[in-house]
């Protein structure tokens, strides 16, 4: 990938910040200017920052094919990166998080053993009442941003945020589609580096964390057979950790989604037994995709963005065939 910075406007959306911003190059310049500078006005403000890195297998493993497998060859993991650094003034934190996509993590909202529809975890914040006080929701430009997974390095392009609100502007960092060879037993270091904004708010920085261990999801034939007793059973390789795992359950027909997804938070004990009635599976469902995540969480300070979150998520996927119910 080229090391030069580039903006990727979202399909079907564009920013219009005035008559001088008709061209794409001018859009980028305006957005970077807005994201890097802001008026020095009075009033309470807060800063939110999160870098979220996801590593997910390219393919599902099939349940009922035996027990855990010790893989000795690297398989492709799909890499996703999202980074946002947000300056907020005159707005509620929950509203700001909902608008910029920095929602609470499932284990922060649910206790181990709880399952809810995934959509219910998305923050819903109504437009605040009109106020004479100044309001700002600025996604700050952090300069060129890159991610390194082990020995593989990638640039993370920036994208203009849609101007949904008159006081919302700036850029975010989004990247997906890269494949990284990854052994199940490997836990490579992940390094995030940025060259910094045009102000002292967000100077150059580098931070790193470790990839969590693979879960190695599996289910034996006897586990699949327990569906006849009304239970969805699957297993994984547990680790000695206080952090629970997050599990997402999605019904499938012909390999495609066929119903609402459910999110569960489970203790990392190596096995789960979930009542099939809780899933409310559609009658035509042929399988359930189980996507399980381990998280490595850390925080770092950069300029005025103290307590910026680094979330490294490693996912495993298992497709469970559904037997007669």
């Amino acid at each position: 990938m080229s090391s030069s910075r580039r903006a990727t406007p979202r399909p079907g959306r564009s920013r219009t910040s005035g008559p001088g911003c008709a061209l794409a190059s001018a859009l980028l310049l305006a957005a970077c200017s807005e994201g890097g500078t802001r008026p020095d006005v009075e009033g309470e403000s807060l800063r939110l920052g999160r870098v979220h890195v996801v590593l997910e297998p390219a393919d599902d493993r099939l349940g009922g094919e035996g027990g855990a497998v010790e893989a000795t060859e690297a398989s492709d993991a799909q890499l996703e990166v999202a980074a946002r650094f947000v300056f907020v003034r005159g707005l509620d934190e929950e509203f700001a998080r909902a608008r910029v996509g920095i929602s609470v993590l499932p284990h922060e909202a649910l206790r181990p053993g709880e399952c809810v529809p995934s959509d219910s975890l998305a923050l819903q914040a109504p437009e605040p009442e009109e106020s004479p006080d100044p309001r700002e929701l600025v996604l700050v430009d952090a300069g060129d941003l890159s991610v390194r997974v082990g020995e593989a390095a990638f640039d993370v392009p920036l994208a203009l945020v849609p101007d949904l609100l008159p006081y919302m502007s700036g850029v975010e960092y989004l990247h997906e589609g890269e494949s990284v060879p990854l052994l199940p037993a490997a836990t490579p270091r992940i390094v995030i580096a940025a060259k910094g904004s045009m102000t002292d708010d967000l100077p150059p920085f580098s931070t790193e964390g470790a990839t969590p261990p693979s879960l190695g999801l599996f289910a034996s034939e006897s586990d699949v057979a327990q569906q006849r007793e009304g239970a969805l059973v699957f297993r994984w390789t547990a680790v000695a950790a206080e952090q629970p795992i997050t599990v997402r359950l999605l019904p499938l027909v012909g390999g495609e989604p066929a119903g609402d997804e459910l999110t569960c938070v489970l203790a990392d004990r190596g096995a789960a037994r979930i009542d099939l009635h809780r899933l409310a599976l559609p009658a035509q469902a042929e399988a359930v995709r189980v996507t399980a995540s381990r998280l490595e969480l850390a925080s770092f300070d950069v300029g005025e963005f103290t307590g910026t979150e680094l979330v490294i998520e490693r996912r495993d996927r298992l497709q469970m065939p559904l037997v007669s119910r």
Side-chain angles (χ1 to χ4, degrees):
M1 296 179 62
S2 170
S3 60
S4 62
R5 194 151 118 237
R6 58 192 184 281
T8 310
R10 294 178 175 176
R13 298 175 179 174
S14 62
R15 286 185 48 83
T16 54
S17 300
C21 295
L23 299 177
S25 58
L27 278 172
L28 175 58
L29 180 61
C32 291
S33 176
E34 291 174 9
T37 61
R38 52 181 175 74
D40 187 13
V41 297
E42 296 181 358
E44 293 186 5
S45 64
L46 64 93
R47 290 166 178 80
L48 305 171
R50 178 182 289 175
V51 181
H52 194 157
V53 180
V54 177
L55 290 165
E56 181 169 2
D59 302 304
D60 296 353
R61 190 176 176 206
L62 298 179
E65 294 190 340
V69 175
E70 185 67 30
T72 57
E73 295 184 2
S75 58
D76 284 343
Q78 301 300 307
L79 174 68
E80 297 179 15
V81 183
R84 299 175 177 94
F85 307 92
V86 191
F87 172 83
V88 184
R89 187 193 304 276
L91 295 166
D92 179 78
E93 179 176 345
E94 184 172 340
F95 174 83
R97 286 182 176 273
R99 285 298 186 186
V100 301
I102 304 182
S103 58
V104 296
L105 300 170
H107 73 271
E108 296 171 336
L110 303 176
R111 295 186 298 270
E114 284 189 301
C115 298
V116 298
S118 297
D119 289 346
S120 70
L121 292 173
L123 290 174
Q124 302 293 332
E127 179 73 19
E129 296 180 1
E130 292 200 13
S131 169
D133 297 329
R135 291 176 176 175
E136 292 181 271
L137 186 59
V138 180
L139 284 92
V140 179
D141 183 347
D144 293 337
L145 190 140
S146 64
V147 57
R148 190 172 76 240
V149 183
E151 299 302 316
F154 308 94
D155 295 327
V156 182
L158 56 78
L160 303 172
V161 300
D163 50 355
L164 301 176
L165 303 168
Y167 44 80
M168 182 175 179
S169 63
V171 297
E172 59 188 348
Y173 295 82
L174 302 171
H175 183 64
E176 61 182 6
E178 296 287 354
S179 294
V180 180
L182 188 63
L183 279 167
T187 55
R189 303 293 294 178
I190 292 179
V191 179
I192 305 292
K195 292 187 177 180
S197 70
M198 293 179 286
T199 74
D200 293 334
D201 278 1
L202 195 57
F205 70 86
S206 177
T207 188
E208 64 180 271
T211 303
S214 170
L215 286 100
L217 281 173
F218 68 96
S220 66
E221 291 184 6
S222 62
D223 292 331
V224 174
Q226 292 195 51
Q227 293 175 30
R228 295 188 175 91
E229 300 177 9
L232 184 73
V233 176
F234 52 90
R235 304 177 190 276
W236 64 91
T237 303
V239 298
E242 296 181 2
Q243 184 77 26
I245 67 170
T246 299
V247 173
R248 297 174 176 88
L249 305 169
L250 180 66
L252 304 174
V253 173
E256 298 297 324
D260 295 331
E261 183 184 74
L262 199 69
T263 294
C264 305
V265 170
L266 304 174
D268 195 349
R269 295 174 180 168
R273 182 184 181 90
I274 298 175
D275 186 346
L276 279 171
H277 292 96
R278 297 174 67 182
L279 304 185
L281 296 172
Q284 69 272 26
E286 301 169 348
V288 174
R289 173 175 289 134
V290 181
T291 302
S293 299
R294 274 199 182 107
L295 300 181
E296 182 75 21
L297 305 174
S299 64
F300 62 98
D301 298 338
V302 50
E304 297 185 26
F305 284 79
T306 59
T308 298
E309 300 172 331
L310 174 61
V311 181
I312 302 175
E313 180 178 358
R314 185 169 187 172
R315 296 176 181 169
D316 281 86
R317 292 207 312 264
L318 177 70
Q319 192 171 138
M320 295 282 292
L322 291 173
V323 300
S324 299
R325 289 166 278 158

